[in-house]
Amino acid sequence: MPVKVVGVVGCGLMGSGIAQVCAEAGYDVIVSEVSGDLLKKGLGKIESFLARGVEKGKVTAEKKAEVLGRLQGTTSLEELSGCDIVIEAVVENLDVKREVYQVLDRVCAASTIFASNTSSLSITGLAAVTKRADRFVGLHFFNPVPLMKLVEVVRSPLTSAEAFAQALDFARSLGKTPVRSTDRTGFIVNRLLVPYLLDAIRAVEEGVGSVADIDEGMRLGCGHPMGPLTLLDFVGLDTTCYIADIMFDEFRERRFAPPPLLKRMVQAGLHGRKTGKGFYDYSQDPPKPVAGLI
Ligand code: 3HC
């Protein structure tokens, strides 16, 4: 069945980006949040991203109006009942996600595909709370969603070949490049990225180089768009620590264990850009490395 209407649950950092790219691709989108305030904030992010696109000459004012016109917000999951595919991007909490899926499973048609944007929880475990595990996939987008080309499409042992193929086609229809992954914590990208980021923190702990030099080294030495410590600030230290804990729990390998410095920074509220400080202090332009971390 062709996809016409897309539901997105959660309009935070990832959900707003996902809703935006779906509307840009021509789908009618219904995006839900738990409160009117959060919904307004999320839709505001989309509006300001598109406005910046217009300023940069990347998006026309007509296209911006068209995209916004295809987006509808709601605070009731019931309103997602007519969607052909629902992408969930709520907080990385198993109980919260399970609750969302139980409601969706009750209100959506049997043919609706469910997709989770989780980066760390088991797709199989989430699918198991629904009566449509064969039509349940992972669609893992990357931050910032409108600019990052990749989507990991994840199948559980219960995902049907047909639903998996539909999910791959859907990702392509968004102008993204899908890669296929099985349901192992971290999928492909975080399995390789997280140990690298944690190792960069260990390098800081061991005094191998300064924060600025480690970042500059990887940026210029490997051609990365940003160094690992800048990327940690961008992703969020709390988010990274949370993902690392889950990966360590799954694989029991030291490379996934959060180093003490990461835990202390999370405890101290140094979560990166979102709190204004992490490895760098964002109150200054350009941001300056934070002193006294070790
Ligand atoms: N509308 C339309 N286009 C826009 C735009 C907007 N509002 N804002 C920027 N763009 C365009 C720019 O015009 C530019 O286009 P061009 O290449 O044709 O010139 C392009 O997007 C890049 O934008 P900028 O030049 O402003 O910015 P950068 O070159 O610094 O790129 C970035 C920004 C894409 C974020 C880059 O820094 C990057 O790739 N960083 C790494 C991000 C990353 O690794 N993300 C993954 C995190 S891990 C994750 O998400 C997984 C999770 O589970 C943890």
Side-chain angles (χ1 to χ4, degrees):
M1 201 183 70
V3 173
K4 286 203 182 101
V5 186
V6 179
V8 178
V9 186
C11 198
L13 186 69
M14 298 303 284
S16 63
I18 295 168
Q20 179 184 328
V21 295
C22 292
E24 282 174 356
Y27 295 111
D28 288 324
V29 180
I30 309 175
V31 57
S32 80
E33 249 306 346
V34 287
S35 74
D37 276 356
L38 287 174
L39 186 61
K40 201 169 149 211
K41 208 170 147 200
L43 292 172
K45 275 192 214 126
I46 301 176
E47 148 86 50
S48 59
F49 190 95
L50 291 169
R52 276 204 312 281
V54 173
E55 273 167 36
K56 282 174 183 276
K58 295 273 168 176
V59 183
T60 63
E62 294 74 42
K63 173 83 179 176
K64 176 183 169 230
E66 227 178 272
V67 171
L68 292 175
R70 281 197 282 270
L71 280 160
Q72 185 194 320
T74 179
T75 53
S76 157
L77 281 179
E78 270 80 7
E79 289 200 27
L80 273 59
S81 61
C83 295
D84 303 306
I85 182 167
V86 177
I87 307 165
E88 165 274 312
V90 304
V91 57
E92 288 284 274
N93 176 303
L94 192 57
D95 292 334
V96 175
K97 285 190 194 278
R98 280 189 174 147
E99 226 171 274
V100 166
Y101 284 118
Q102 276 160 354
V103 177
L104 290 173
D105 205 27
R106 187 162 42 75
V107 300
C108 292
S111 56
T112 304
I113 292 185
F114 285 180
S116 177
N117 178 57
T118 184
S119 51
S120 55
L121 300 173
S122 152
I123 296 298
T124 316
L126 293 172
V129 302
T130 72
K131 295 190 184 75
R132 63 184 81 212
D134 58 328
R135 270 152 295 129
F136 198 114
V137 293
L139 276 183
H140 183 218
F141 291 80
F142 289 80
N143 179 27
V145 178
L147 301 185
M148 300 293 282
K149 286 280 166 216
L150 185 71
V151 178
E152 291 179 309
V153 183
V154 185
R155 64 179 166 77
S156 85
L158 301 171
T159 308
S160 72
E162 194 193 352
F164 193 52
Q166 273 181 296
L168 287 161
D169 282 345
F170 177 73
R172 287 187 198 103
S173 78
L174 302 178
K176 303 291 184 194
T177 302
V179 292
R180 303 164 186 80
S181 173
T182 53
D183 185 25
R184 293 287 179 278
T185 302
F187 313 131
I188 296 172
V189 174
N190 278 339
R191 186 191 184 111
L192 298 173
L193 176 67
V194 170
Y196 157 67
L197 296 177
L198 300 179
D199 242 355
I201 301 174
R202 289 187 193 105
V204 174
E205 285 180 328
E206 290 165 21
V208 176
S210 68
V211 165
D213 282 351
I214 290 170
D215 270 353
E216 197 76 326
M218 290 311 291
R219 221 169 48 78
L220 300 181
C222 293
H224 290 186
M226 40 174 87
L229 303 162
T230 303
L231 184 55
L232 275 156
D233 278 356
F234 184 70
V235 170
L237 272 66
D238 53 337
T239 306
T240 307
C241 193
Y242 183 79
I243 296 174
D245 271 331
I246 294 181
M247 294 183 82
F248 183 70
D249 193 48
E250 171 114 328
F251 299 112
R252 307 293 164 125
E253 290 176 32
R254 181 185 180 266
R255 64 197 171 114
F256 297 111
L261 177 59
L262 176 60
K263 291 193 200 163
R264 295 300 169 272
M265 289 178 72
V266 172
Q267 285 164 351
L270 299 169
H271 294 181
R273 270 172 198 252
K274 60 178 138 185
T275 57
K277 261 191 200 173
F279 285 100
Y280 295 86
D281 179 349
Y282 294 90
S283 65
Q284 320 192 34
D285 190 21
K288 292 259 174 353
V290 169
L293 289 178
I294 49 168

